[in-house]
Every structure is written in structure tokens, then in C-alpha cells.
Amino acid sequence: MKPDWTASATRLADAEWVRARIGGAAKLYGCARPEVLGTIWWYSLSSVLVAPAIEGLVAGTPVDPSLDAVELDLVADGRFLGARSTRRLDGGLPEVGAALATALGTAITTIAAVCGARERALGAIATDSIANRLLWTPDPERAMALAEPLVEAIGLGLPKPRFVRVGRTPAVRRASCCLIYEVGNPKCVSCPRQTPEEREARLRAALG
């Protein structure tokens, strides 16, 4: 799928732009409270937003995750297809963490102000997005070792990333809920708002 348009990630500091995008999410997910739509929207966006920094860090070629360096690809219905950074970043994990702190902090503050979601809840989603993206890299075992130091370098009061194993397969033990069930969809396989037994059974069914 090709993007219909590209936006600078600096738009995440623009409350009116964010409000319009969250409002547009109702076309995808149906009518819901603003904090629910905002949380679902951030769940999708955060995974895309952190991807260039995570992939570059794991590959040993860090790129700048600052909002003015990142471009977001979108399709007409408002979904995010991907993101890319237009700048290399000198340094390593500490520098990536510091730049992510500013980018994520700005986005979370704007979204919370617009939709009424709690910043702490949005921050937990960011942690889980980072953890998931680390698992999607070519060497997830090595990448997982970066998770806790990276989140510590970011700060912002983000919860520690957590992983579990389903057999030999690592998975994120989520600290966050995207609230997708609030709009009539099933809870995510790894949703923390289910019993541990139910979550483990669903993970085993999904991952084998």
C-alpha cells in the first residue's frame, strides 16, 4: 500500500492537527469517548513513531527521532503506514533515548491535552511499542537487552518494558491497554485487562 500523504512529525505538537486526526479515527473505530479514540490512535501511531529509532539503534546506525527529523506516511482514512528519519544521529543509546524523550514527551502531552487521556497511560503504550519494535528486529534476543536501558534513558516516568516467553518465543508482557475493546472489538491477545490464565492461553494459541 502506498501512502496518500506525508506529514512532518512536528504536527504532533499542533493540538488542532492532533484533534482533527483523533476525530477522524471515529470513521475507523466508531463513535467513542475522546480519550478512547485518542488512546487507540496513539497505540497505532506510537509504534510507527519509534520504529526508525529502534531499527537504527539495533542496526548500529542511529537515526534522529526528533519530531523535526521524522516524516510520517498516512493513507486517506488516517492510518499510519510508516515513518522515517531524515537525519543520522551522532552517539548511541543515551543520545537516542534523550531525543526520544523530547519527541515522545511532546506527542504525549499534546494528545493528553486534546483527548483527556492520562499521560501515564499513554506513556505505558509508548513503552510497549518500543518493546514490540525491538522484538520485530532481525535479532530479537539481542534487541531485548536494549529495552530496559533505552526506556531508562528516555525517562518520562515510563514503566519498565517486560517480556515473557511462550515456549521459546519472546512476547511483550504489556503494561498498557489500547482500549480497542471499548469500541466493540475483542481485546488484544496480550491485553493486561484479562486474567493471567486467559492471556497465557491466548498467547500460546497465537504463538504456538
Side-chain angles (χ1 to χ4, degrees):
M1 183 183 294
K2 293 183 178 180
D4 292 306
W5 54 296
T6 297
S8 168
T10 56
R11 302 303 296 269
L12 299 176
D14 180 343
E16 290 307 312
W17 189 86
V18 169
R19 182 175 289 107
R21 302 285 77 73
I22 292 174
K27 296 178 182 178
L28 289 170
Y29 305 111
C31 294
R33 302 190 314 277
E35 61 267 31
V36 171
L37 288 176
T39 299
I40 295 171
W41 186 76
W42 173 238
Y43 175 77
S44 173
L45 166 61
S46 62
S47 179
V48 170
L49 184 63
V50 302
I54 298 301
E55 292 164 2
L57 181 64
V58 172
T61 54
V63 298
D64 192 349
S66 300
L67 296 183
D68 66 349
V70 173
E71 296 177 341
L72 301 167
D73 290 331
L74 300 93
V75 290
D77 64 9
R79 287 176 295 158
F80 295 93
L81 286 185
R84 61 193 163 275
S85 174
T86 60
R87 288 199 299 258
R88 291 286 300 273
L89 184 68
D90 293 331
L93 187 147
E95 289 74 22
V96 172
L100 275 172
T102 301
L104 292 173
T106 298
I108 287 170
T109 298
T110 305
I111 294 166
V114 165
C115 75
R118 294 184 300 113
E119 290 190 19
R120 186 176 182 85
L122 300 178
I125 287 174
T127 286
D128 289 340
S129 289
I130 290 168
N132 265 318
R133 283 290 178 174
L134 287 166
L135 288 184
W136 296 352
T137 60
D139 187 353
E141 295 294 336
R142 185 175 73 84
M144 282 191 295
L146 299 174
E148 189 167 332
L150 177 58
V151 170
E152 286 180 354
I154 295 170
L156 299 178
L158 301 185
K160 289 183 178 182
R162 301 178 298 173
F163 299 95
V164 296
R165 288 190 181 275
V166 181
R168 295 183 178 181
T169 305
V172 175
R173 183 179 177 187
R174 297 192 63 87
S176 69
C177 179
C178 68
L179 302 182
I180 194 71
Y181 72 91
E182 293 271 7
V183 293
N185 289 292
K187 291 178 180 178
C188 299
V189 169
S190 57
C191 180
R193 295 189 178 185
Q194 54 189 341
T195 66
E197 295 78 15
E198 182 181 5
R199 182 171 59 248
E200 181 178 355
R202 294 183 69 196
L203 282 169
R204 287 190 178 279
L207 300 177

